[in-house]
Amino acid sequence: THSWDREAIQLVQTLIPRETVLFIADVKISFDSFRNGMAATVNSKTIITVNPDTREASMLFSYAREVAESGALDQDEKAEDMSVDSITDVFTVSQLKEKAQESPEAFFGIMYSFISKLDLDSSVSKVIRTRCSRCKFQVTDDMQSCTNQLCPGRDQGLSATTGFDLLVDFSDHTGTLHACSLRSPVAEHTLGCTVKEFTSLTDEERTAMKWKFLLERCKIYVKILPSPKARTGIRGMVLACSLADPGEVKQHMSALVQ
Ligand SMILES: [Zn+2]
């Protein structure tokens, strides 16, 4: 091992994934058949700058953060890959968390829980978002092209989709599942309201809509993705959500409490 290898290894070990931008000069890029991809190799001439104080670095950092938080980097994000009719396993919040820790695979389940956070009355821009369809970067409709420097379709015209993009908390007697994504088209079905209708609501109407669901017991079909990138280590996606039938809740919850 060369000394520069040792130095590079020591440096890399101190870095936190997705928290660090590296500027690397003089690095050998070659195809690595073992990893089946391009790999960078450092040598004695290589200079590595951690978190360089440049505009590009700060843009790259914001992009990485934004994409990681949006869940766009999570594989297996397709909500449509399981029909809700075939989901029958009922979980409490703590059971979902336990199972997520045990299995690296995504799984599906039903929760009977309360919506404990639903920010429908914050600014519309936090409820409805427009994203580039190619890279999921947040954009605005009036843009001519995606502002993400790394977007694969940056030189083409902007292709964007606008939809509900909410983070919702669910709670039951065992705990809270934070920041589950509730997006279009599931959000439209849940709220009984299209994006267009929602944008024309008054503040009072949006608050009223929020209270129709907040602290109500709901039946929620979720997809749980164990996600080391999420702060909680778990990412929930709502596949369907509706106010629960009290008889059904009683039947399931009594079984879960035992
Ligand atoms: Zn883009």
Side-chain angles (χ1 to χ4, degrees), residues 196-237:
K196 200 160 171 249
E197 285 162 355
F198 187 85
T199 50
S200 64
L201 295 180
T202 63
D203 288 355
E204 290 75 23
E205 286 169 326
R206 287 198 277 140
T207 304
M209 181 182 279
K210 165 176 156 171
W211 282 101
K212 192 176 145 201
F213 293 95
L214 200 65
L215 307 181
E216 293 292 336
R217 179 83 76 172
C218 292
K219 180 180 189 179
I220 305 122
Y221 291 84
V222 278
K223 179 176 186 177
I224 300 292
L225 298 153
S227 170
K229 294 179 295 269
R231 247 163 277 147
T232 51
I234 172 172
R235 186 180 288 283
M237 293 183 64

Side-chain angles (χ1 to χ4, degrees), residues 28-41:
K28 188 178 157 221
I29 308 276
S30 53
F31 185 78
D32 182 324
S33 51
F34 177 70
R35 294 185 182 82
N36 198 27
M38 300 306 285
T41 314

Side-chain angles (χ1 to χ4, degrees), residues 132 134-135 137 146 148 151:
C132 169
R134 298 184 184 96
C135 70
F137 198 70
C146 182
N148 170 18
C151 179

Side-chain angles (χ1 to χ4, degrees), residues 49-256:
T49 312
V50 178
N51 291 327
D53 189 12
T54 64
R55 187 165 164 270
E56 286 79 9
S58 107
M59 284 170 67
L60 185 59
F61 178 75
S62 323
Y63 170 66
R65 165 134 305 176
E66 152 93 7
V67 171
E69 302 237 311
S70 77
L73 289 177
D74 286 326
Q75 292 170 356
D76 222 10
E77 262 267 307
K78 292 266 173 294
E80 317 80 56
D81 55 5
M82 181 97 168
S83 119
V84 291
D85 298 331
S86 54
I87 302 171
T88 52
D89 294 337
V90 177
F91 296 89
T92 62
V93 168
S94 69
Q95 285 170 339
L96 279 178
K97 288 181 178 174
E98 264 167 51
K99 190 167 159 109
Q101 275 180 343
E102 287 160 10
S103 87
E105 309 265 300
F107 62 95
F108 299 85
I110 299 171
M111 303 187 274
Y112 291 95
S113 58
F114 299 96
I115 299 184
S116 46
K117 185 173 167 230
L118 179 66
D119 286 337
L120 288 180
D121 49 0
S122 58
S123 75
V124 175
S125 65
K126 285 187 178 151
V127 178
I128 291 162
R129 291 179 204 267
T130 300
R131 289 185 187 278
C132 169
S133 356
R134 298 184 184 96
C135 70
K136 308 290 180 219
F137 198 70
Q138 205 180 327
V139 293
T140 56
D141 276 326
D142 54 340
M143 286 175 178
Q144 301 298 309
S145 65
C146 182
T147 42
N148 170 18
Q149 302 283 332
L150 303 170
C151 179
R154 219 172 102 71
D155 47 351
Q156 298 155 41
L158 181 66
S159 155
T161 40
T162 299
F164 284 104
D165 203 331
L166 284 159
L167 292 175
V168 181
D169 289 357
F170 295 105
S171 303
D172 66 12
H173 62 287
T174 66
T176 299
L177 193 58
H178 293 282
C180 295
S181 51
L182 175 62
R183 294 188 184 157
S184 294
V186 177
E188 277 93 333
H189 294 299
T190 302
L191 303 172
C193 171
T194 64
V195 168
K196 200 160 171 249
E197 285 162 355
F198 187 85
T199 50
S200 64
L201 295 180
T202 63
D203 288 355
E204 290 75 23
E205 286 169 326
R206 287 198 277 140
T207 304
M209 181 182 279
K210 165 176 156 171
W211 282 101
K212 192 176 145 201
F213 293 95
L214 200 65
L215 307 181
E216 293 292 336
R217 179 83 76 172
C218 292
K219 180 180 189 179
I220 305 122
Y221 291 84
V222 278
K223 179 176 186 177
I224 300 292
L225 298 153
S227 170
K229 294 179 295 269
R231 247 163 277 147
T232 51
I234 172 172
R235 186 180 288 283
M237 293 183 64
V238 181
L239 307 185
C241 174
S242 56
L243 295 180
D245 171 67
E248 200 179 315
V249 174
K250 203 175 159 200
Q251 182 196 333
H252 284 285
M253 294 317 279
S254 59
L256 289 171

Side-chain angles (χ1 to χ4, degrees), residues 38-52:
M38 300 306 285
T41 314
V42 298
N43 59 32
S44 58
K45 281 184 273 176
T46 304
I47 298 165
I48 302 175
T49 312
V50 178
N51 291 327

